Amino acid sequence: MGFGTVSTLGLVALVAFLAGPINHFVQIAGVFLTPNSTVLGEGQGPIHIEDTIHCEDVHHYRPANLLFTACEDDNSTRFSWFPPLGNLLPLTTQGSIHVVDPKTMKSTRLAFENFQSPFLTHGIDVIGDPEQLDAVYIYAVNHMPNPAYFGAGEPKGVPKSQSQIELFHHILNSDSIRHVRSINHPLIKTPNDIYATSPVSFYVTNDHFHRDGPMRLIEAVWRSAKWSNIIHVQIADLTSKDAPIEASVALTGLWNNNGLGHGRTDNEIIISSAMGGEVFLATRHESNHSISIDTSVSVSALADNPSYYDDPYRTDKHDASGYLVAGVSQAIRLVSNSKDPNAVVPIPVQVWYMTLNSRTGVWEKKVLFEDDGSRISTASAAVLVPIQTKAGKKLAWLFVTGFMSESMVAVQVEL
């Protein structure tokens, strides 16, 4: 999540009215929405995964059938320091990387090796180690407070956040994770989510151009504020923590581009526009690392981190493969709740499931899971883990997590 919040609803509404279609603002803000929580049957959950506090992103690493997520671990941190929400009162806490086993529904918090830095978590990506089949690399956004600002008298013109990317290495089924290096570059300003192509190459979204202030507010509500971008980053050598970093702009022209996901092929990249409520399917080009948009699908909620579900039990008659995107369905509630750890008003969520009808070429969209905020408050990522087909039914466990959720939840769904 990284669309920014503001101090007063009235100011947001005024800017939205003056700068863009009011119907879009009303829809995404959920002004008139009455949340309709999904009814779950016996054995369908929800199962709350313990020790998964404020985990903004989640990925299913299918070769090992494990989920990876980065969590804040502390209920108070998000409400004071989380630059994507405009919360800029610095804390020097250290979140962590967790592994969730979808069979046991248990979370394991991984112990860091040679990493003592503050770690303020956000988007991640997981990619296999090509030289060690039982290991993975994990890229993770880290929104560190900038010591050049807070430790030097708060000089004008210096950003408050020193956001960077951390690269870790993890041997599967072990209880620790090794820090490989930190990645800084002037083009990485407001990182949100990551799409890894190899252990030394990745894409990262800058969800805003402006870090804070009135212009960031305009970016949040003005549909024509297409100033965010996606950066491609190349690391020269993993054996050195100081090896050179090369970065280039891969895509511009999207409004509040936010989450990234792997698609149907190695070259397909899924991009979300949070405030736009759009999911873009795009192609990355290996020749120059640029990205081109192929098509888009809209939803009636914030569109946060997207993912793709590849149905292992597909048949000629029924292929349940499709795209997921989770988001807050009443963004209006973030205005008052995002800075108050004692807020009692829950934030409703929706998880959208989108499939392309091969016969008609029409996108079929439905809300796969909805909640009024009582079972999970905020949602920013969701993945599906397949269940063996039963009596002709396509079943899966849906895991949903949020940037201000008390815990990740799992519910059983039919596709």
Side-chain angles (χ1 to χ4, degrees), residues 330-347:
Q330 283 190 308
I332 194 172
R333 295 196 181 185
L334 283 170
V335 174
S336 59
N337 285 28
S338 63
K339 300 180 186 297
D340 182 8
N342 299 312
V344 296
V345 179
I347 300 175

Side-chain angles (χ1 to χ4, degrees), residues 219-257:
E219 281 191 83
V221 297
W222 186 26
R223 198 177 186 87
S224 296
K226 298 180 179 181
W227 308 324
S228 58
N229 59 22
I230 298 177
I231 304 300
H232 176 261
V233 180
Q234 186 78 37
I235 305 171
D237 183 4
L238 280 186
T239 62
S240 171
K241 288 182 177 289
D242 299 317
I245 300 294
E246 293 184 1
S248 59
V249 177
L251 180 67
T252 60
L254 295 183
W255 178 31
N256 190 204
N257 62 197

Side-chain angles (χ1 to χ4, degrees), residues 36-40 367-372 375 413:
N36 184 23
S37 296
T38 301
V39 177
L40 300 173
V367 177
L368 191 61
F369 175 73
E370 184 173 10
D371 194 65
D372 62 4
R375 293 176 290 195
V413 295

Side-chain angles (χ1 to χ4, degrees), residues 3 57 106 130 220 230 295:
F3 53 87
D57 197 5
K106 301 295 183 182
I230 298 177
T295 189

Side-chain angles (χ1 to χ4, degrees), residues 308-322 353-359 364 366 368 384 387 389-396 413-415:
Y308 177 71
Y309 175 68
D310 188 13
D311 179 10
Y313 304 115
R314 58 181 171 270
T315 65
D316 292 338
K317 293 183 178 180
H318 188 186
D319 183 355
S321 301
Y353 171 58
M354 299 158 285
T355 58
L356 182 62
N357 189 308
S358 59
R359 291 181 293 102
E364 298 174 351
K366 69 176 181 179
L368 191 61
L384 286 166
I387 300 172
T389 302
K390 298 177 182 179
K393 293 183 177 181
K394 296 276 191 176
L395 303 175
V413 295
E414 182 176 351
L415 303 176

Side-chain angles (χ1 to χ4, degrees), residues 51-52 67-69 71 73 96-100 107-110:
D51 193 29
T52 53
L67 306 180
F68 287 86
T69 185
C71 305
D73 300 329
S96 59
I97 304 292
H98 294 238
V99 180
V100 177
S107 171
T108 299
R109 187 187 300 203
L110 301 178

